[in-house]
């Protein structure tokens, strides 16, 4: 399970080339010293992984927590 996760998401049907470009831009931004320093001040650790791996992690979290949320009766409209 993810302890804390911040990520960039896009619509499900976004073209693969756009996903690749976005993922590359995020990786480039996370490599910048200013980004790393700013994140460190917020006590965040930069971590980058391929889009497919992040999607799999999100699916696993939804599988884990989806039933809990459903059982709680919570609805986003509430």
């Amino acid at each position: 399970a993810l302890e804390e996760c911040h990520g960039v998401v896009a619509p499900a049907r976004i073209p693969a080339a756009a996903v690749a470009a976005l993922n590359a831009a995020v990786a480039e931004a996370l490599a910048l010293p200013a980004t790393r320093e700013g994140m460190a001040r917020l006590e965040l650790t930069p971590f980058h992984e391929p889009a497919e791996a992040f999607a799999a992690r999100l699916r696993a979290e939804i599988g884990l927590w989806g039933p809990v949320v459903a059982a709680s009766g919570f609805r986003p409209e509430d």
Side-chain angles (χ1 to χ4, degrees), residues 28-62:
E28 185 177 320
L30 288 175
L32 295 172
T35 302
R36 298 181 79 74
E37 291 164 10
M39 291 181 75
R41 283 192 299 273
L42 298 171
E43 299 183 7
L44 298 172
T45 303
F47 175 76
H48 180 263
E49 63 186 341
E52 300 80 17
F54 183 62
R57 288 160 62 79
L58 289 178
R59 282 191 296 275
E61 287 292 312
I62 290 168

Side-chain angles (χ1 to χ4, degrees), residues 20-31:
L22 182 58
N23 197 332
V26 168
E28 185 177 320
L30 288 175

